[in-house]
Amino acid sequence: MFDPYPYFKGKNVLLIGNGEKLADINYDNYNSIVRMNLGIQDSPCHVWINNLVNEGHNKLKEIPRIQNIVRLNFEKDGKRAERMPDWVKKKAWLWNKEEYNLMIQIYNYPRPTTGFVSIYWLLNYCNCKVTITAFDFFKTKNRYTMEDTNHIGTPKGYNHDVELEEEVITKLIQRGTINGI
């Protein structure tokens, strides 16, 4: 079974978001390329952070052939993680809900995006250098669904606090805690 902690230790990691605009990237500059959710459809990808809801897996064009799968979302006291398809459950390394809930309490933020959770987890638990790209806080479409994102953070849309996420992540970049490209 994949153990992410020794895997990530000391690595230079590129975390690729799902924003429409992706920087020109020399993948050779990174020891590990991490993609999230529907991003698994692109390569290279060494680790897939799969926080998709069960129905989200139906949007995959094909079942990815990747062994390093991580589940970080334990929303609703872990109920969402329990609804993962069996083929994912068999391969996925699961973060624990106590540490997930601690993050929720620290930020007073019950519905973080996969990107936010991924950055938090990599920085606080994986002992690696993190660079992010294609994180634009829903200002452009999701490049995998081309979904209009104007509803994100509204009462009618996904309950993500994009302003909080942008503030926290921007401060991390400004402090040099993570790199943004």
Side-chain angles (χ1 to χ4, degrees):
M1 169 73 67
F2 175 61
D3 186 347
Y5 298 131
Y7 170 84
F8 281 118
K9 186 176 183 179
K11 285 194 172 159
N12 189 11
V13 175
L14 177 64
L15 178 64
I16 301 175
N18 295 340
E20 188 176 9
K21 296 176 183 167
L22 187 61
D24 279 338
I25 300 166
N26 180 353
Y27 293 110
D28 292 337
N29 291 337
Y30 304 94
N31 305 107
S32 183
I33 310 301
V34 178
R35 295 184 187 265
M36 302 172 293
N37 297 336
L38 297 177
I40 187 62
Q41 298 170 107
D42 288 338
S43 59
C45 180
H46 301 115
V47 177
W48 178 28
I49 296 178
N50 179 343
N51 285 347
L52 290 169
V53 294
N54 192 33
E55 300 81 30
H57 293 90
N58 298 331
K59 294 182 179 181
L60 293 170
K61 295 173 190 163
E62 62 183 59
I63 296 174
R65 295 185 179 171
I66 187 163
Q67 296 301 311
N68 301 330
I69 303 173
V70 172
R71 175 70 182 206
L72 298 176
N73 185 322
F74 285 86
E75 189 176 289
K76 300 184 180 181
D77 206 31
K79 296 295 180 201
R80 278 185 72 174
E82 292 171 11
R83 297 187 334 226
M84 289 187 305
D86 286 339
W87 67 269
V88 177
K89 281 183 189 177
K90 290 177 187 175
K91 294 182 177 183
W93 177 90
L94 305 176
W95 195 25
N96 71 58
K97 66 182 177 182
E98 290 78 19
E99 290 171 346
Y100 177 84
N101 287 331
L102 175 62
M103 177 198 62
I104 297 300
Q105 291 172 356
I106 289 169
Y107 290 100
N108 190 26
Y109 185 23
R111 299 275 325 264
T113 62
T114 298
F116 188 88
V117 176
S118 299
I119 291 168
Y120 174 86
W121 177 72
L122 285 166
L123 287 178
N124 291 287
Y125 295 92
C126 293
N127 195 21
C128 60
K129 180 179 177 187
V130 179
T131 299
I132 63 171
T133 189
F135 279 77
D136 64 9
F137 311 101
F138 299 99
K139 291 181 176 120
T140 64
K141 294 178 180 181
N142 179 308
R143 75 175 172 273
Y144 301 103
T145 63
M146 292 313 287
E147 176 183 19
D148 182 7
T149 56
N150 294 332
H151 63 285
I152 304 289
T154 69
K156 293 182 181 180
Y158 303 121
N159 297 321
H160 300 304
D161 186 342
V162 293
E163 291 175 357
L164 171 69
E165 291 199 12
E166 184 171 20
E167 178 185 332
V168 169
I169 293 168
T170 298
K171 285 180 182 175
L172 290 170
I173 293 169
Q174 289 170 342
R175 290 183 198 135
T177 307
I178 60 174
N179 297 314
I181 56 172

